[in-house]
Amino acid sequence: MSEIKTFKFDSKNFDEIRAYKFGTNWPVVYLIEDGKEIYVGETVNAYQRSKQHLENAARARLKRIHIIGDEEYNKSATLDTESWLIQYMSAEEKFVLQNGNRGLKNHSYFDREKYRAKFERTWQKLKEMAIVQKDLVQIRNSDIFKYSPYKALTQDQMLVVRKIVKHLILQKEHTFIINGKPGTGKTILAVYLIKYLKEREETKHLNVALVVPMTSLRKTIQKVFRKVSGLSSSMVIGPNDVTSKQYDLLIVDEAHRLRRRVNITNFRSFDTTNKKLGFTNEGTELDWVLRSAKNHILFYDKNQSVRPSDIPHARFDALEATHFELESQLRVEGGEEYVTFIDNLFDTAVQNKIAIKNYDFKLYTNIVQMVEDIKQKDKEFGLSRMVAGYAWNWNTKRGGEYDIDIDGLKLTWNSSASDWVNSPNALNEVGCIHTVQGYDLNYTGVIIGPEIFYNKEIRKICVSPQKYKDINGKRSVSDPEELTRYVINIYKTLMTRGIKGTYVYIVDRDLREYIESQLV
């Protein structure tokens, strides 16, 4: 059983640590704090490590050391516990964290779930001791936890970091494209990289910014950067902001949402920026990024391009760049198998029926029941929301009482465009693609509207342009196949927002029967 022993962090008390049963020659995790600042570490010799920390000026001003010991601890378990403590304490915001974010890495080891359970009990003890204040669930649902730079990286993420940092240290100007499906940690890695670069002696001088094309997600990440030591909200910018100065490195999250001059609302401003940078009106936001920095990291997923204004993937393919692929599924508990199934499902390319494992996936014939179930999941886990494809007019913008009517159930679109998932009335509304792309939810209730249907004769999912109501999403699109691809990408994105589960109501009966037929 884990225990927590507290000592004064003072050289006069180090003999007490040496005499403690877990004080020497045993793997432990420890916290050094003074009520305002904290350092989290792990070691196999708490006595020697304490003496070393006292020689560090930042650490020397701290007052107490709490040693977390357990007779079942091993090196892997303490490394993992240290990582979890850093992630949760940085997001709780009670302390200013003295730790950097180097070297936090996800790895598997024997009985890992047992040590995860031990960590949760340890957190409860820390709460009882008033060292921490919030519950783990409360922290887990916060934006600062979801987008924290203190995340443990997967092997493929860490490989990307090492190779990119090596290029930057050698001052080799370059473009990197990091491809990844939904939930592979593209945004997490982008945020991690900026914090990591700002801590290294060799790279902290670099002028770096994170470009986030989507306004709602940009504002959310700006809030997070405001609360993290060493970062500032000014480091998170929009595509238009890149033109204000030259950067050493621009990191673009959701690069598939960079725009070209098609179906946008601000042609004049777009043209002015092109002219300022020496481009014709054919210049794109991708061109602006490439022109405004020596190095570029583009996080990209062609299957999340959902509007004609998005730059075609052929433009990214044509870049002279080093490509990386993120494979590990970090969001959806159903894992890569579920995400691949959703891809194949909408492309009518499922080879074999699937039994979805370790994931709460349900199809509904009763929309009222699905809404009730999502609200129940919100009570249990928080961050459970209804979302839908753009198959209904936005009547409430023009004074209407509701937007969506399905079997007599009347619903409204999202009343907030900025950070909708956290807005006060979100649980009673339906979010569109532009409010949830880039966000994680615990449970997602997806309404698949009448604009998308299954054609039994050709065995293919099709789209009815007349029933697709996003004017900017279809204006100037003359190719029905192109529009179909955009709409299918919207639903692929919506169906991969939920961490714990996805509930689905489908208006078109044939489409519902097709999806049911692909499940065991």
Side-chain angles (χ1 to χ4, degrees):
M1 180 179 288
S2 300
E3 64 177 58
I4 304 172
K5 183 78 171 176
T6 302
F7 303 88
K8 288 183 179 180
F9 188 60
D10 187 311
S11 59
K12 298 175 184 176
N13 296 281
F14 286 168
D15 284 342
E16 292 182 26
I17 295 176
R18 181 166 56 182
Y20 176 49
K21 63 179 178 179
F22 295 128
T24 60
N25 198 30
W26 197 262
V28 298
V29 183
Y30 58 90
L31 313 171
I32 314 175
E33 51 86 18
D34 65 354
K36 296 178 181 178
E37 293 182 274
I38 195 165
Y39 180 85
V40 182
E42 66 81 34
T43 183
V44 292
N45 193 323
Y47 167 67
Q48 289 293 346
R49 193 74 180 109
S50 298
K51 291 170 65 177
Q52 292 168 358
H53 278 309
L54 201 61
E55 297 172 5
N56 179 297
R59 231 76 78 228
R61 61 175 177 258
L62 304 180
K63 305 298 183 186
R64 292 167 292 278
I65 180 169
H66 311 278
I67 297 176
I68 304 168
D70 192 302
E71 291 178 354
E72 295 182 324
Y73 268 170
N74 54 56
K75 186 68 171 178
S76 290
T78 55
L79 282 167
D80 226 11
T81 303
E82 175 197 38
S83 173
W84 288 328
L85 283 169
I86 289 171
Q87 291 177 61
Y88 282 97
M89 286 189 155
S90 67
E92 194 196 28
E93 300 181 79
K94 176 183 174 181
F95 293 98
V96 173
L97 198 65
Q98 288 192 1
N99 295 75
N101 71 338
R102 299 189 196 188
L104 294 180
K105 188 172 71 172
N106 258 320
H107 63 288
S108 297
Y109 56 92
F110 179 69
D111 254 357
R112 191 183 191 207
E113 289 308 309
K114 177 178 79 173
Y115 290 103
R116 178 74 195 201
K118 283 178 178 287
F119 164 74
E120 291 178 1
R121 290 196 294 272
T122 295
W123 186 269
Q124 188 57 39
K125 289 179 185 176
L126 291 171
K127 193 178 176 191
E128 291 166 4
M129 295 168 69
I131 297 171
V132 300
Q133 297 172 328
K134 297 178 182 177
D135 292 329
L136 292 174
V137 172
Q138 185 182 2
I139 297 171
R140 209 174 286 136
N141 285 338
S142 68
D143 286 331
I144 193 167
F145 180 80
K146 291 179 182 297
Y147 300 109
S148 167
Y150 294 99
K151 280 286 192 290
L153 299 190
T154 61
Q155 292 281 4
D156 48 359
Q157 287 176 323
M158 189 62 80
L159 175 67
V160 171
V161 170
R162 287 172 180 157
K163 291 196 173 182
I164 288 175
V165 171
K166 183 178 179 180
H167 267 272
L168 293 173
I169 291 174
L170 295 174
Q171 298 182 341
K172 293 182 177 180
E173 298 182 10
H174 204 66
T175 298
F176 300 89
I177 297 178
I178 303 175
N179 301 283
K181 293 180 180 179
T184 50
K186 296 186 293 296
T187 303
I188 287 171
L189 183 52
V191 173
Y192 179 99
L193 264 167
I194 288 190
K195 175 71 172 169
Y196 185 79
L197 292 170
K198 284 298 176 184
E199 288 178 351
R200 291 186 66 102
E201 282 296 322
E202 308 97 320
T203 56
K204 66 181 183 181
H205 66 282
L206 295 176
N207 188 3
V208 181
L210 174 61
V211 182
V212 183
M214 297 156 60
T215 304
S216 178
L217 183 59
R218 181 164 67 247
K219 288 181 178 178
T220 298
I221 296 178
Q222 284 173 337
K223 288 179 188 174
V224 173
F225 272 49
R226 218 173 277 134
K227 296 174 180 178
V228 176
S229 176
L231 302 182
S232 70
S233 59
S234 63
M235 293 177 176
V236 185
I237 61 177
N240 197 56
D241 301 320
V242 305
T243 64
S244 61
K245 57 184 175 183
Q246 278 289 312
Y247 292 86
D248 294 304
L249 171 65
L250 285 173
I251 302 173
V252 185
D253 189 33
E254 306 279 345
H256 39 269
R257 298 307 312 273
L258 291 173
R259 299 178 305 161
R260 54 179 173 158
R261 195 183 184 276
V262 175
N263 288 6
I264 58 176
T265 56
N266 52 346
F267 283 110
R268 181 177 296 179
S269 173
F270 204 89
D271 294 345
T272 299
T273 302
N274 269 325
K275 185 176 181 181
K276 175 182 175 182
L277 293 175
F279 294 114
T280 67
N281 288 348
E282 297 303 308
T284 68
E285 290 179 344
L286 175 59
D287 294 318
W288 304 352
V289 168
L290 297 175
R291 175 66 63 87
S292 300
K294 298 174 183 176
N295 299 279
H296 325 90
I297 303 172
L298 310 175
F299 288 87
Y300 184 70
D301 178 7
K302 68 179 182 181
N303 288 324
Q304 290 194 63
S305 176
V306 297
R307 272 188 171 177
S309 57
D310 297 343
I311 297 167
H313 67 85
R315 176 71 177 91
F316 289 89
D317 290 343
L319 291 176
E320 187 176 333
T322 298
H323 289 256
F324 295 102
E325 191 78 32
L326 297 179
E327 301 282 358
S328 303
Q329 178 55 232
L330 302 176
R331 177 192 295 137
V332 178
E333 291 182 356
E336 178 63 23
E337 185 180 30
Y338 171 78
V339 175
T340 300
F341 170 70
I342 294 300
D343 268 348
N344 292 338
L345 184 71
F346 281 93
D347 293 337
T348 56
V350 176
Q351 299 295 318
N352 299 296
K353 290 185 179 183
I354 184 174
I356 297 175
K357 301 173 184 176
N358 306 314
Y359 193 66
D360 192 357
F361 182 85
K362 292 179 183 177
L363 294 175
Y364 287 76
T365 56
N366 186 324
I367 183 69
V368 174
Q369 187 62 56
M370 186 172 85
V371 171
E372 289 178 359
D373 287 354
I374 285 294
K375 289 184 176 181
Q376 180 58 38
K377 290 301 178 184
D378 190 72
K379 288 181 182 177
E380 294 177 36
F381 300 102
L383 279 181
S384 301
R385 301 288 182 263
M386 298 291 300
V387 299
Y390 211 150
W392 292 270
N393 288 318
W394 211 302
N395 299 321
T396 49
K397 281 187 176 179
R398 298 185 293 275
E401 293 183 9
Y402 62 90
D403 301 303
I404 300 168
D405 185 347
I406 301 175
D407 297 338
L409 177 66
K410 295 175 174 59
L411 302 165
T412 60
W413 284 117
N414 49 275
S415 58
S416 171
S418 177
D419 197 23
W420 170 72
V421 297
N422 296 306
S423 63
N425 201 41
L427 187 58
N428 300 310
E429 298 172 345
V430 179
C432 71
I433 180 64
H434 308 301
T435 61
V436 297
Q437 193 168 20
Y439 284 88
D440 294 347
L441 298 169
N442 286 324
Y443 275 82
T444 311
V446 181
I447 303 173
I448 298 181
E451 87 284 23
I452 188 168
F453 63 95
Y454 183 71
N455 188 320
K456 288 184 175 180
E457 292 183 6
I458 61 174
R459 297 183 179 181
K460 188 176 180 181
I461 293 177
C462 303
V463 168
S464 169
Q466 295 77 21
K467 294 180 181 179
Y468 180 55
K469 303 300 182 180
D470 187 350
I471 301 301
N472 288 328
K474 63 181 178 180
R475 187 190 293 125
S476 83
V477 180
S478 56
D479 182 357
E481 285 297 320
E482 183 181 354
L483 180 63
T484 296
R485 178 49 47 193
Y486 286 131
V487 175
I488 283 176
N489 282 353
I490 287 172
Y491 283 110
K492 285 183 177 181
T493 302
L494 295 179
M495 299 275 279
T496 52
R497 294 300 95 190
I499 297 169
K500 296 181 176 295
T502 299
Y503 294 169
V504 186
Y505 177 86
I506 306 166
V507 172
D508 181 69
R509 182 178 297 176
D510 290 340
L511 180 58
R512 183 166 66 240
E513 290 177 355
Y514 158 70
I515 292 179
E516 286 176 338
S517 72
Q518 306 305 310
L519 298 168
V520 174

